[in-house]
Amino acid sequence: MIRVELVDDDPMVRTGVRAILAAAEDIVVVAEAGDGREALEQARAHRPDVVLLDIRMPVLDGLDAASALRWELPEVAVVMLTTFSESEYVSRALDSGAAGFLLKSGDPYELMAAVRAASGGAAFLSPQIAHRVIQQAAGQASRRAAATDRIAALTPREREVLGLVGAGLSNAEIGRRLFLVEGTVKAYVSAVLSRLEVRNRVQAAVLAYEAGLVAP
């Protein structure tokens, strides 16, 4: 069972998210919070697997809360709840240790997919946000060229693994796709993160989009 904490300063949003997750047999909401400071307190008390974290909140915003969670409870995966108007925060959220980005206006099934992906150690980008990343990369030749240069040092297998990380697959799913044992995939992913000098799978996923390894 995947244990989830909901964090949003709007009680109606929390109610809606809880109702969606209630339809999933493998997900249970164990805590709720209305600001970043309360989110940390609830995370310490309940130790959820995944925290769904709003970006804009009083007392302590989602970005600072995500950073605090990364250092204090690194085993807890954080998925940021965003709106299109907040897409400029994606890079900051990456630095805060987020495992994914989910649009509040997105498909309810994306919510379940994001929770499952983050719980399994995979990255998750809402398709709309991923599309924007692609558009930005396509519109900035220098970024596309820089991303292509960065992945040039990877082996063909490592680039293949990076592309699947970008597509949101977990280590187990990548293993099934490439006919590799999960331990081997984990080693490949660690090597890719190290060679690319990125902090987590979401940063690697964004780089995969920018380099054109993931189809729109």
Side-chain angles (χ1 to χ4, degrees):
M1 188 69 71
I2 303 172
R3 295 161 51 84
V4 175
E5 177 184 349
L6 307 180
V7 186
D8 197 293
D9 61 334
D10 187 337
M12 291 188 66
V13 171
R14 296 201 306 271
T15 299
V17 172
R18 178 186 280 272
I20 292 170
L21 294 180
E25 296 182 354
D26 59 335
I27 299 172
V28 59
V29 175
V30 297
E32 294 187 20
D35 61 61
R37 184 174 298 170
E38 186 182 4
L40 294 174
E41 294 171 355
Q42 292 295 323
R44 296 185 192 108
H46 296 278
R47 300 298 174 111
D49 301 302
V50 179
V51 176
L52 291 172
L53 189 60
D54 187 21
I55 287 182
R56 294 184 180 178
M57 293 184 296
V59 185
L60 185 70
D61 69 21
L63 297 175
D64 290 334
S67 293
L69 283 168
R70 182 184 68 184
W71 293 113
E72 187 172 345
L73 299 171
E75 72 278 9
V76 176
V78 174
V79 174
M80 308 302 297
L81 296 170
T82 73
T83 67
F84 267 123
S85 63
E86 297 166 336
S87 61
E88 68 272 17
Y89 294 141
V90 169
S91 61
R92 288 182 58 197
L94 286 171
D95 290 336
S96 298
F101 301 90
L102 186 70
L103 283 178
K104 292 181 179 180
S105 59
D107 189 310
Y109 288 103
E110 291 176 15
L111 179 62
M112 299 179 191
V115 168
R116 290 172 179 138
S119 174
F124 185 91
L125 293 175
S126 171
Q128 294 94 329
I129 293 178
H131 182 65
R132 178 163 293 193
V133 169
I134 294 169
Q135 287 181 319
Q136 290 174 341
Q140 299 182 28
S142 59
R143 285 184 61 181
R144 172 58 66 90
T148 301
D149 287 344
R150 288 182 68 182
I151 70 169
L154 301 180
T155 66
R157 177 63 90 183
E158 287 171 342
R159 284 196 293 274
E160 192 172 14
V161 169
L162 175 60
L164 295 175
V165 167
L169 274 65
S170 67
N171 287 350
E173 291 169 331
I174 293 172
R176 288 192 292 271
R177 183 75 63 87
L178 301 180
F179 303 102
L180 299 171
V181 298
E182 190 169 348
T184 300
V185 175
K186 184 176 181 180
Y188 271 121
V189 171
S190 295
V192 168
L193 298 184
S194 177
R195 287 196 182 195
L196 297 178
E197 298 182 345
V198 294
R199 294 183 179 181
N200 54 45
R201 294 174 76 107
V202 178
Q203 287 185 330
V206 170
L207 185 59
Y209 277 105
E210 291 179 339
L213 295 182
V214 183

